[in-house]
Amino acid sequence: MSRIAYPRLWHMFGAFFHQDWDTEGDDWPDLICNFAQGQSQDELEATAVELDRLLNEITDATALEQELFHVLGCEYDPRPDLGGPTLREWLGQVASFLRQEAR
């Protein structure tokens, strides 16, 4: 895939989950809250829908990791600080959090 396939995710991960993500917040919920501040409710929902589509389209764990870290520009690795969830589980949590922020 490419960042063009997921433009909202590319923006969110590249702008808030970059290599210096810890200057944006303490953990991923902080990063999502910061991202949400500049977005409309519709945009947050659309970003969550893009995450859903990513998870439906990329079923292989290695391909998902490649897409997230090498195409979408995410430098944040959630697995250690969340006690070991898979990327798929974490991305599902991010989609849910985005939807909560959209309310």
Side-chain angles (χ1 to χ4, degrees):
M1 296 287 168
S2 73
R3 66 181 186 223
I4 296 169
Y6 308 104
R8 289 173 177 91
L9 299 183
W10 180 74
H11 168 70
M12 181 180 72
F13 287 121
F16 292 88
F17 291 80
H18 50 73
Q19 66 186 10
D20 296 322
W21 64 264
D22 58 345
T23 63
E24 304 286 340
D26 292 331
D27 54 19
W28 71 265
D30 281 354
L31 302 179
I32 295 295
C33 287
N34 289 342
F35 168 73
Q37 288 178 0
Q39 306 298 320
S40 68
Q41 290 177 328
D42 289 342
E43 192 63 25
L44 292 173
E45 180 61 33
T47 305
V49 168
E50 263 190 28
L51 265 174
D52 295 340
R53 189 165 52 88
L54 172 78
L55 292 170
N56 286 327
E57 291 176 352
I58 303 178
T59 58
D60 178 74
T62 302
L64 184 61
E65 184 175 322
Q66 175 74 20
E67 183 74 15
L68 183 64
F69 296 121
H70 300 287
V71 176
L72 297 176
C74 182
E75 296 283 337
Y76 180 90
D77 189 346
R79 294 169 286 192
D81 58 64
L82 291 179
T86 66
L87 286 179
R88 183 168 299 284
E89 291 167 337
W90 176 65
L91 291 172
Q93 292 171 358
V94 170
S96 293
F97 200 87
L98 284 166
R99 287 186 171 95
Q100 289 174 345
E101 291 294 307
R103 294 183 191 148

XYZ file of all heavy atoms in Angstrom:
840
model
N 0.845 -1.172 0.000
C 0.000 0.000 0.000
C 0.897 1.245 0.000
O 2.085 1.148 -0.119
C -0.903 0.005 1.227
C -1.892 -1.133 1.283
S -3.174 -0.873 0.093
C -3.929 -2.482 0.149
N 0.284 2.357 0.203
C 1.056 3.592 0.247
C 0.361 4.614 1.115
O -0.794 4.447 1.489
C 1.217 4.155 -1.171
O -0.008 4.698 -1.625
N 1.087 5.663 1.394
C 0.497 6.716 2.210
C -0.685 7.354 1.505
O -1.572 7.893 2.138
C 1.540 7.735 2.604
C 2.087 8.508 1.443
C 3.123 9.481 1.926
N 3.540 10.312 0.836
C 4.779 10.630 0.590
N 5.737 10.167 1.365
N 5.083 11.403 -0.413
N -0.724 7.280 0.158
C -1.845 7.832 -0.592
C -3.114 7.035 -0.300
O -4.203 7.594 -0.260
C -1.526 7.851 -2.100
C -0.348 8.793 -2.352
C -2.744 8.269 -2.903
C 0.238 8.712 -3.725
N -2.978 5.756 -0.048
C -4.133 4.919 0.275
C -4.731 5.292 1.629
O -5.920 5.066 1.858
C -3.739 3.445 0.258
N -3.922 5.843 2.512
C -4.357 6.197 3.862
C -3.859 7.598 4.224
O -3.037 7.765 5.130
C -3.822 5.183 4.876
C -4.111 3.744 4.524
C -3.113 2.923 4.017
C -5.381 3.219 4.700
C -3.382 1.605 3.695
C -5.656 1.903 4.379
C -4.649 1.100 3.871
O -4.926 -0.202 3.553
N -4.344 8.635 3.544
C -3.784 9.975 3.766
C -3.989 10.501 5.189
O -3.114 11.182 5.729
C -4.513 10.846 2.746
C -5.753 10.099 2.414
C -5.415 8.642 2.552
N -5.108 10.184 5.805
C -5.345 10.663 7.175
C -4.402 9.975 8.158
O -3.884 10.606 9.074
C -6.796 10.424 7.569
C -7.766 11.324 6.853
C -9.213 10.961 7.144
N -10.115 11.873 6.507
C -10.610 11.691 5.280
N -10.285 10.623 4.574
N -11.439 12.587 4.771
N -4.191 8.688 7.961
C -3.275 7.952 8.839
C -1.844 8.441 8.641
O -1.089 8.579 9.612
C -3.368 6.452 8.584
C -4.726 5.818 8.838
C -4.651 4.317 8.602
C -5.235 6.131 10.231
N -1.478 8.700 7.399
C -0.138 9.201 7.121
C 0.077 10.531 7.837
O 1.121 10.752 8.451
C 0.063 9.345 5.616
C 1.405 9.850 5.242
C 2.591 9.159 5.286
C 1.718 11.154 4.772
N 3.621 9.969 4.870
C 3.111 11.196 4.544
C 0.961 12.288 4.513
C 3.750 12.330 4.074
C 1.602 13.417 4.039
C 2.992 13.426 3.830
N -0.942 11.387 7.790
C -0.835 12.675 8.494
C -0.745 12.462 10.006
O 0.139 13.014 10.665
C -2.030 13.571 8.159
C -2.138 14.769 9.041
N -1.248 15.824 8.995
C -3.000 15.063 10.043
C -1.573 16.712 9.908
N -2.629 16.283 10.564
N -1.657 11.676 10.562
C -1.684 11.484 12.013
C -0.391 10.846 12.523
O 0.234 11.352 13.453
C -2.878 10.621 12.420
C -2.963 10.400 13.934
S -4.365 9.388 14.435
C -3.857 7.769 13.854
N 0.012 9.739 11.907
C 1.205 9.052 12.401
C 2.469 9.854 12.135
O 3.351 9.925 12.986
C 1.307 7.649 11.807
C 0.313 6.695 12.382
C -0.610 6.054 11.579
C 0.278 6.443 13.740
C -1.546 5.177 12.114
C -0.648 5.573 14.295
C -1.563 4.935 13.469
N 2.559 10.478 10.966
C 3.756 11.257 10.643
C 3.900 12.520 11.475
O 5.002 12.905 11.844
N 2.774 13.152 11.796
C 2.825 14.425 12.518
C 2.827 14.280 14.036
O 3.322 15.158 14.730
C 1.638 15.307 12.097
N 2.304 13.172 14.555
C 2.175 13.036 16.014
C 2.889 11.814 16.586
O 3.146 11.766 17.783
C 0.693 13.015 16.413
C 0.031 14.330 16.175
C -0.538 14.616 14.951
C 0.028 15.307 17.152
C -1.129 15.845 14.707
C -0.551 16.544 16.917
C -1.133 16.811 15.691
N 3.202 10.839 15.761
C 3.869 9.623 16.231
C 5.269 9.521 15.620
O 5.763 8.444 15.346
C 3.033 8.390 15.858
C 1.743 8.281 16.629
C 0.631 9.024 16.279
C 1.653 7.435 17.717
C -0.555 8.928 16.999
C 0.472 7.326 18.444
C -0.628 8.083 18.078
N 5.913 10.657 15.411
C 7.230 10.732 14.798
C 8.314 10.322 15.800
O 8.024 9.963 16.947
C 7.480 12.147 14.273
C 7.197 13.208 15.288
N 8.014 13.444 16.374
C 6.161 14.081 15.388
C 7.519 14.423 17.096
N 6.382 14.834 16.527
N 9.558 10.397 15.377
C 10.664 9.919 16.212
C 10.793 10.678 17.526
O 11.334 10.153 18.495
C 11.974 9.941 15.445
C 12.463 11.326 15.073
C 13.683 11.274 14.181
O 14.062 10.224 13.689
N 14.303 12.419 13.974
N 10.303 11.884 17.582
C 10.334 12.657 18.826
C 8.943 12.751 19.441
O 8.570 13.764 20.035
C 10.872 14.066 18.567
C 12.315 14.060 18.109
O 13.097 13.228 18.616
O 12.663 14.868 17.230
N 8.187 11.677 19.330
C 6.793 11.676 19.788
C 6.674 12.085 21.252
O 5.685 12.683 21.651
C 6.139 10.316 19.561
C 6.750 9.197 20.349
C 7.694 8.317 19.927
C 6.472 8.849 21.711
N 8.032 7.453 20.931
C 7.292 7.758 22.046
C 5.612 9.352 22.684
C 7.271 7.161 23.312
C 5.594 8.760 23.938
C 6.413 7.674 24.234
N 7.684 11.786 22.052
C 7.586 12.079 23.477
C 7.621 13.580 23.779
O 7.332 13.985 24.898
C 8.647 11.328 24.282
C 10.062 11.628 23.857
O 10.279 12.194 22.766
O 10.972 11.294 24.625
N 7.897 14.398 22.764
C 7.764 15.842 22.937
C 6.315 16.284 22.733
O 5.952 17.403 23.071
C 8.665 16.623 21.969
O 8.257 16.364 20.619
C 10.130 16.243 22.167
N 5.495 15.382 22.192
C 4.079 15.667 21.921
C 3.169 15.168 23.047
O 2.007 15.544 23.116
C 3.647 15.005 20.607
C 4.465 15.377 19.400
C 4.194 16.777 18.892
O 3.135 17.337 19.201
O 5.058 17.306 18.180
N 3.674 14.247 23.883
C 2.864 13.699 24.966
C 3.571 12.543 25.637
O 4.637 12.105 25.196
N 2.969 12.042 26.712
C 3.585 10.957 27.488
C 3.314 9.572 26.923
O 4.088 8.644 27.145
C 3.091 10.996 28.940
C 3.602 12.220 29.679
O 4.694 12.718 29.335
O 2.891 12.683 30.592
N 2.184 9.417 26.243
C 1.798 8.111 25.720
C 0.866 8.301 24.530
O 0.551 9.436 24.157
C 1.135 7.257 26.812
C -0.040 7.955 27.474
O -0.600 8.918 26.892
O -0.407 7.551 28.583
N 0.445 7.187 23.928
C -0.352 7.317 22.712
C -1.689 8.025 22.924
O -2.108 8.783 22.045
C -0.505 5.976 21.998
C -1.379 4.967 22.662
C -0.985 3.961 23.502
C -2.797 4.841 22.529
N -2.072 3.240 23.905
C -3.203 3.752 23.311
C -3.771 5.551 21.822
C -4.528 3.342 23.415
C -5.092 5.145 21.919
C -5.449 4.050 22.708
N -2.395 7.859 24.061
C -3.625 8.643 24.218
C -3.369 10.155 24.206
O -4.169 10.918 23.652
C -4.191 8.168 25.561
C -3.697 6.766 25.693
C -2.298 6.842 25.130
N -2.254 10.585 24.789
C -1.892 12.006 24.719
C -1.710 12.449 23.271
O -2.140 13.531 22.876
C -0.581 12.284 25.463
C -0.728 12.373 26.966
O -1.864 12.333 27.470
O 0.326 12.486 27.626
N -1.050 11.608 22.477
C -0.799 11.951 21.079
C -2.110 12.057 20.306
O -2.295 12.977 19.500
C 0.125 10.916 20.430
C 1.489 10.726 21.106
C 2.296 9.661 20.384
C 2.250 12.019 21.209
N -3.026 11.139 20.560
C -4.327 11.182 19.893
C -5.105 12.427 20.329
O -5.744 13.092 19.505
C -5.146 9.907 20.171
C -4.458 8.678 19.570
C -6.571 10.037 19.628
C -4.353 8.664 18.070
N -5.062 12.752 21.605
C -5.749 13.962 22.083
C -5.182 15.203 21.404
O -5.943 16.098 21.005
C -5.641 14.082 23.596
S -6.662 12.907 24.497
N -3.877 15.275 21.260
C -3.257 16.410 20.577
C -3.678 16.463 19.112
O -3.989 17.533 18.587
C -1.735 16.347 20.681
C -1.245 16.630 22.072
O -1.951 17.195 22.901
N -0.030 16.215 22.363
N -3.690 15.315 18.458
C -4.152 15.246 17.067
C -5.607 15.693 16.972
O -5.978 16.473 16.097
C -3.988 13.813 16.549
C -4.675 13.556 15.242
C -4.170 14.066 14.055
C -5.828 12.790 15.190
C -4.806 13.826 12.839
C -6.467 12.539 13.994
C -5.960 13.063 12.819
N -6.428 15.237 17.884
C -7.866 15.513 17.849
C -8.177 16.997 18.007
O -9.193 17.477 17.473
C -8.579 14.708 18.930
N -7.337 17.732 18.719
C -7.587 19.157 18.947
C -7.717 19.949 17.658
O -8.443 20.928 17.608
C -6.492 19.762 19.819
C -6.565 19.313 21.246
C -5.422 19.887 22.080
O -4.573 20.626 21.603
N -5.407 19.525 23.349
N -7.045 19.535 16.625
C -7.090 20.276 15.369
C -8.018 19.674 14.331
O -7.953 20.053 13.160
N -8.867 18.730 14.746
C -9.698 18.011 13.785
C -11.184 18.154 14.114
O -11.560 18.232 15.275
C -9.344 16.515 13.796
C -7.890 16.203 13.573
C -7.385 16.655 12.224
O -8.071 16.525 11.223
N -6.183 17.214 12.201
N -12.003 18.125 13.079
C -13.446 18.117 13.279
C -13.889 16.711 13.685
O -13.138 15.733 13.524
C -14.160 18.511 11.983
O -13.988 17.488 11.004
N -15.099 16.601 14.179
C -15.652 15.285 14.530
C -15.699 14.383 13.300
O -15.375 13.197 13.393
C -17.049 15.428 15.129
C -17.050 16.054 16.497
C -18.456 16.244 17.044
O -19.402 16.472 16.305
N -18.581 16.145 18.358
N -16.086 14.941 12.164
C -16.144 14.151 10.933
C -14.763 13.644 10.529
O -14.618 12.515 10.068
C -16.741 14.973 9.796
C -18.229 15.228 9.961
O -18.885 14.507 10.759
O -18.740 16.147 9.298
N -13.759 14.483 10.701
C -12.399 14.081 10.338
C -11.877 12.988 11.271
O -11.202 12.053 10.833
C -11.464 15.290 10.347
C -10.127 15.042 9.724
C -10.171 14.699 8.242
O -11.123 15.065 7.530
O -9.225 14.031 7.788
N -12.180 13.085 12.544
C -11.774 12.037 13.483
C -12.442 10.714 13.134
O -11.797 9.661 13.144
C -12.108 12.445 14.916
C -11.302 13.618 15.472
C -11.847 14.035 16.828
C -9.826 13.262 15.567
N -13.709 10.758 12.816
C -14.424 9.531 12.415
C -13.841 8.975 11.118
O -13.644 7.764 10.990
C -15.914 9.808 12.264
C -16.718 8.601 11.848
C -16.671 7.431 12.832
O -16.586 7.662 14.052
O -16.725 6.265 12.368
N -13.540 9.844 10.171
C -12.954 9.398 8.905
C -11.574 8.770 9.121
O -11.216 7.798 8.447
C -12.870 10.568 7.920
N -10.826 9.296 10.063
C -9.519 8.713 10.391
C -9.703 7.327 11.001
O -8.971 6.384 10.671
C -8.732 9.638 11.329
O -8.626 10.938 10.725
C -7.339 9.104 11.600
N -10.691 7.175 11.876
C -10.992 5.860 12.454
C -11.422 4.879 11.369
O -11.026 3.705 11.398
C -12.071 5.991 13.529
N -12.200 5.345 10.418
C -12.634 4.486 9.307
C -11.428 4.056 8.481
O -11.344 2.901 8.055
C -13.703 5.202 8.446
C -13.954 4.469 7.138
C -14.998 5.349 9.235
N -10.473 4.961 8.257
C -9.247 4.580 7.550
C -8.489 3.503 8.319
O -7.937 2.584 7.711
C -8.329 5.790 7.324
C -8.476 6.384 5.979
C -7.419 7.426 5.658
O -6.272 7.397 6.182
O -7.755 8.302 4.842
N -8.455 3.619 9.625
C -7.799 2.578 10.436
C -8.521 1.246 10.274
O -7.877 0.202 10.127
C -7.789 2.980 11.910
C -6.538 3.660 12.404
C -6.723 4.141 13.827
C -5.334 2.759 12.314
N -9.844 1.276 10.294
C -10.618 0.051 10.078
C -10.271 -0.570 8.730
O -10.068 -1.783 8.623
C -12.122 0.331 10.116
C -12.619 0.804 11.467
O -11.934 0.575 12.487
O -13.719 1.408 11.498
N -10.210 0.272 7.718
C -9.900 -0.217 6.366
C -8.492 -0.807 6.307
O -8.282 -1.873 5.723
C -10.051 0.925 5.365
C -9.956 0.471 3.923
C -10.456 1.521 2.946
N -9.872 2.824 3.125
C -8.732 3.237 2.550
N -8.030 2.414 1.785
N -8.298 4.456 2.758
N -7.533 -0.134 6.926
C -6.161 -0.656 6.986
C -6.154 -2.050 7.601
O -5.538 -2.979 7.069
C -5.284 0.293 7.804
C -3.871 -0.190 8.127
C -2.967 -0.039 6.916
C -3.300 0.578 9.300
N -6.842 -2.200 8.720
C -6.862 -3.489 9.412
C -7.575 -4.565 8.599
O -7.206 -5.737 8.680
C -7.505 -3.333 10.787
C -6.686 -2.494 11.772
C -7.503 -2.180 13.016
C -5.389 -3.188 12.126
N -8.564 -4.187 7.821
C -9.266 -5.150 6.971
C -8.462 -5.522 5.735
O -8.530 -6.656 5.268
C -10.637 -4.606 6.554
C -11.632 -4.641 7.686
O -11.597 -5.517 8.533
N -12.517 -3.659 7.718
N -7.725 -4.568 5.207
C -6.979 -4.800 3.975
C -5.637 -5.491 4.204
O -5.163 -6.213 3.327
C -6.750 -3.481 3.235
C -8.030 -2.907 2.665
C -7.854 -1.545 2.015
O -6.749 -0.943 2.132
O -8.825 -1.061 1.414
N -5.026 -5.266 5.334
C -3.709 -5.856 5.610
C -3.870 -6.840 6.761
O -3.905 -6.446 7.928
C -2.662 -4.776 5.935
C -2.565 -3.781 4.784
C -1.310 -5.425 6.221
C -1.596 -2.652 5.004
N -3.961 -8.103 6.421
C -4.204 -9.124 7.438
C -2.925 -9.759 7.966
O -2.922 -10.320 9.048
C -5.129 -10.225 6.876
O -4.524 -10.789 5.703
C -6.496 -9.644 6.515
N -1.843 -9.650 7.235
C -0.565 -10.225 7.652
C 0.133 -9.289 8.636
O 0.280 -8.085 8.371
C 0.317 -10.453 6.416
C 1.679 -11.006 6.782
O 1.759 -12.198 7.124
O 2.652 -10.215 6.744
N 0.568 -9.820 9.782
C 1.192 -9.005 10.830
C 2.465 -8.311 10.349
O 2.702 -7.147 10.677
C 1.490 -9.857 12.061
N 3.273 -8.993 9.567
C 4.515 -8.401 9.062
C 4.214 -7.275 8.082
O 4.852 -6.222 8.124
C 5.402 -9.473 8.404
O 5.681 -10.489 9.380
C 6.700 -8.897 7.889
N 3.243 -7.482 7.221
C 2.861 -6.438 6.262
C 2.266 -5.238 6.986
O 2.511 -4.091 6.595
C 1.873 -7.002 5.239
N 1.508 -5.480 8.038
C 0.941 -4.380 8.823
C 2.048 -3.571 9.487
O 2.023 -2.334 9.475
C -0.033 -4.925 9.873
C -0.770 -3.879 10.708
C -1.627 -2.976 9.840
C -1.622 -4.577 11.763
N 3.024 -4.256 10.029
C 4.174 -3.568 10.643
C 4.920 -2.743 9.608
O 5.274 -1.587 9.858
C 5.105 -4.606 11.275
C 6.263 -4.007 12.005
C 7.096 -5.052 12.729
O 6.542 -6.012 13.284
O 8.332 -4.885 12.724
N 5.136 -3.305 8.441
C 5.820 -2.593 7.354
C 5.046 -1.335 6.975
O 5.623 -0.257 6.832
C 5.957 -3.524 6.133
C 6.543 -2.887 4.909
C 8.035 -2.637 5.009
O 8.729 -3.232 5.817
N 8.533 -1.751 4.178
N 3.744 -1.461 6.817
C 2.908 -0.320 6.443
C 2.963 0.778 7.513
O 3.153 1.946 7.206
C 1.466 -0.776 6.234
C 0.531 0.299 5.771
C 0.710 0.695 4.318
O 1.368 -0.030 3.554
O 0.184 1.762 3.935
N 2.806 0.388 8.753
C 2.752 1.360 9.840
C 4.072 2.092 10.023
O 4.114 3.323 10.084
C 2.348 0.663 11.144
C 2.184 1.566 12.352
C 1.042 2.563 12.153
C 1.947 0.737 13.603
N 5.154 1.341 10.111
C 6.443 1.942 10.455
C 7.220 2.488 9.260
O 7.975 3.439 9.401
C 7.307 0.953 11.227
C 6.733 0.570 12.560
C 6.446 -0.745 12.862
C 6.460 1.531 13.522
C 5.911 -1.102 14.105
C 5.921 1.201 14.757
C 5.653 -0.127 15.037
N 7.039 1.906 8.083
C 7.871 2.306 6.949
C 7.127 3.133 5.906
O 7.768 3.869 5.155
C 8.508 1.085 6.294
C 9.375 0.313 7.255
N 10.592 0.776 7.682
C 9.171 -0.858 7.900
C 11.116 -0.085 8.538
N 10.269 -1.078 8.692
N 5.818 3.017 5.851
C 5.050 3.785 4.869
C 4.338 4.959 5.529
O 4.408 6.081 5.047
C 4.042 2.880 4.124
C 3.184 3.691 3.169
C 4.766 1.757 3.386
N 3.680 4.702 6.643
C 2.890 5.744 7.300
C 3.702 6.614 8.253
O 3.194 7.586 8.798
C 1.706 5.119 8.037
C 0.699 4.404 7.127
C -0.385 3.722 7.949
C 0.097 5.364 6.118
N 4.950 6.269 8.485
C 5.845 7.135 9.253
C 5.710 7.070 10.757
O 6.188 7.957 11.460
N 5.084 6.029 11.269
C 4.942 5.895 12.716
C 6.275 5.464 13.325
O 6.878 4.492 12.890
C 3.859 4.870 13.046
S 3.557 4.682 14.812
N 6.699 6.177 14.330
C 7.924 5.841 15.054
C 7.625 5.399 16.481
O 8.527 5.111 17.241
C 8.878 7.044 15.080
C 9.385 7.461 13.726
C 10.484 6.558 13.197
O 11.157 5.879 14.002
O 10.673 6.533 11.971
N 6.362 5.385 16.832
C 5.926 4.998 18.176
C 5.624 3.508 18.174
O 4.836 3.028 17.359
C 4.670 5.789 18.541
C 4.111 5.479 19.908
C 4.527 6.185 21.017
C 3.147 4.492 20.081
C 4.007 5.924 22.278
C 2.624 4.219 21.339
C 3.058 4.936 22.423
O 2.540 4.671 23.661
N 6.241 2.768 19.069
C 5.992 1.332 19.182
C 5.221 1.085 20.475
O 5.780 1.190 21.559
C 7.299 0.558 19.182
C 7.095 -0.939 19.066
O 5.956 -1.421 19.253
O 8.084 -1.638 18.790
N 3.950 0.769 20.376
C 3.103 0.660 21.557
C 3.273 -0.635 22.335
O 2.860 -0.718 23.481
C 1.696 0.708 20.976
C 1.863 0.034 19.650
C 3.208 0.514 19.157
N 3.847 -1.622 21.737
C 3.844 -2.947 22.359
C 4.480 -2.988 23.742
O 3.881 -3.546 24.651
C 4.464 -3.955 21.400
C 3.580 -4.116 20.159
C 4.244 -4.877 19.075
N 5.264 -4.041 18.446
C 5.851 -4.344 17.324
N 5.575 -5.455 16.704
N 6.745 -3.542 16.799
N 5.629 -2.383 23.988
C 6.210 -2.480 25.332
C 5.388 -1.794 26.422
O 5.188 -2.347 27.493
C 7.575 -1.805 25.189
C 7.880 -1.861 23.738
C 6.547 -1.780 23.037
N 4.906 -0.588 26.150
C 4.243 0.140 27.227
C 2.782 -0.259 27.430
O 2.147 0.195 28.357
C 4.360 1.654 27.037
C 3.791 2.128 25.732
O 2.589 1.994 25.515
O 4.570 2.641 24.921
N 2.270 -1.119 26.590
C 0.904 -1.604 26.781
C 0.883 -3.062 27.213
O -0.139 -3.718 27.140
C 0.079 -1.414 25.503
C -0.231 0.029 25.150
C -1.024 0.098 23.859
C -1.016 0.703 26.258
N 2.005 -3.568 27.639
C 2.054 -4.940 28.121
C 2.025 -5.993 27.035
O 1.718 -7.141 27.312
N 2.315 -5.610 25.832
C 2.469 -6.591 24.782
C 1.336 -6.783 23.807
O 1.276 -7.825 23.179
N 0.430 -5.811 23.602
C -0.604 -6.051 22.585
C 0.015 -6.075 21.196
O 1.057 -5.469 20.950
C -1.545 -4.858 22.729
C -0.680 -3.763 23.228
C 0.309 -4.450 24.146
N -0.641 -6.753 20.302
C -0.181 -6.741 18.914
C -0.460 -5.376 18.308
O -1.252 -4.598 18.838
C -0.910 -7.813 18.095
O -2.300 -7.460 18.006
C -0.751 -9.200 18.718
N 0.178 -5.103 17.200
C -0.103 -3.852 16.505
C -1.572 -3.788 16.103
O -2.200 -2.736 16.187
C 0.776 -3.709 15.264
C 2.236 -3.385 15.508
C 2.984 -3.302 14.185
C 2.396 -2.093 16.286
N -2.112 -4.895 15.675
C -3.516 -4.953 15.278
C -4.429 -4.566 16.443
O -5.356 -3.772 16.283
C -3.850 -6.356 14.768
C -5.269 -6.519 14.270
C -5.442 -7.819 13.513
N -4.590 -7.877 12.333
C -4.818 -7.241 11.193
N -5.883 -6.494 11.071
N -3.991 -7.342 10.179
N -4.160 -5.107 17.620
C -4.959 -4.762 18.796
C -4.826 -3.273 19.122
O -5.813 -2.598 19.400
C -4.528 -5.606 20.004
C -4.868 -7.063 19.889
C -4.164 -7.921 20.936
O -3.105 -7.507 21.466
O -4.682 -9.014 21.200
N -3.598 -2.786 19.077
C -3.368 -1.381 19.388
C -4.071 -0.472 18.398
O -4.713 0.506 18.786
C -1.869 -1.078 19.431
C -1.585 0.369 19.644
C -1.878 1.107 20.766
C -0.981 1.272 18.720
N -1.465 2.419 20.587
C -0.916 2.541 19.333
C -0.470 1.124 17.429
C -0.371 3.658 18.716
C 0.077 2.236 16.803
C 0.119 3.481 17.445
N -3.968 -0.772 17.115
C -4.619 0.066 16.114
C -6.136 0.053 16.298
O -6.791 1.074 16.077
C -4.213 -0.371 14.710
C -2.747 -0.091 14.363
C -2.381 -0.728 13.034
C -2.448 1.399 14.355
N -6.682 -1.071 16.730
C -8.105 -1.113 17.072
C -8.419 -0.195 18.242
O -9.451 0.489 18.262
N -7.524 -0.151 19.225
C -7.701 0.746 20.367
C -7.623 2.207 19.915
O -8.392 3.051 20.396
C -6.635 0.465 21.430
C -6.780 -0.863 22.112
C -5.581 -1.195 22.999
O -4.615 -0.451 23.075
N -5.650 -2.336 23.665
N -6.718 2.498 19.004
C -6.589 3.857 18.488
C -7.879 4.263 17.767
O -8.389 5.366 17.973
C -5.362 3.996 17.556
C -5.367 5.337 16.826
C -4.067 3.822 18.347
N -8.421 3.379 16.945
C -9.675 3.677 16.244
C -10.798 3.956 17.240
O -11.561 4.919 17.076
C -10.053 2.524 15.309
N -10.887 3.160 18.287
C -11.917 3.373 19.317
C -11.711 4.713 20.020
O -12.670 5.447 20.272
C -11.886 2.246 20.356
O -12.269 1.038 19.773
N -10.474 5.027 20.327
C -10.161 6.292 21.004
C -10.514 7.482 20.112
O -11.045 8.488 20.583
C -8.683 6.307 21.398
C -8.350 7.280 22.485
C -8.458 6.916 23.818
C -7.917 8.559 22.185
C -8.141 7.811 24.832
C -7.595 9.462 23.186
C -7.711 9.088 24.511
N -10.218 7.375 18.818
C -10.581 8.436 17.881
C -12.087 8.652 17.876
O -12.560 9.788 17.858
C -10.094 8.099 16.474
C -8.612 8.284 16.196
C -8.226 7.595 14.903
C -8.251 9.765 16.156
N -12.834 7.574 17.890
C -14.288 7.686 17.900
C -14.791 8.329 19.199
O -15.729 9.119 19.168
C -14.913 6.314 17.680
C -14.769 5.839 16.245
C -15.512 4.544 15.963
N -15.497 4.296 14.543
C -14.615 3.530 13.911
N -13.667 2.904 14.598
N -14.673 3.376 12.605
N -14.151 8.018 20.300
C -14.523 8.661 21.569
C -14.242 10.158 21.511
O -15.024 10.970 21.992
C -13.759 8.042 22.745
C -14.192 6.664 23.103
C -13.303 6.049 24.178
O -12.222 6.528 24.469
N -13.769 4.970 24.766
N -13.101 10.514 20.931
C -12.741 11.923 20.811
C -13.688 12.678 19.867
O -13.869 13.872 20.010
C -11.301 12.078 20.315
C -10.252 11.649 21.325
C -10.232 12.547 22.535
O -10.131 13.773 22.400
O -10.340 12.017 23.661
N -14.284 11.960 18.924
C -15.199 12.582 17.967
C -16.544 12.934 18.591
O -17.292 13.729 18.052
C -15.410 11.661 16.764
N -16.848 12.364 19.736
C -18.142 12.624 20.389
C -18.209 13.941 21.074
O -17.358 14.572 21.483
C -18.449 11.519 21.394
C -18.663 10.220 20.705
C -19.044 9.173 21.717
N -18.990 7.874 21.052
C -18.661 6.766 21.640
N -18.363 6.742 22.904
N -18.650 5.644 20.987
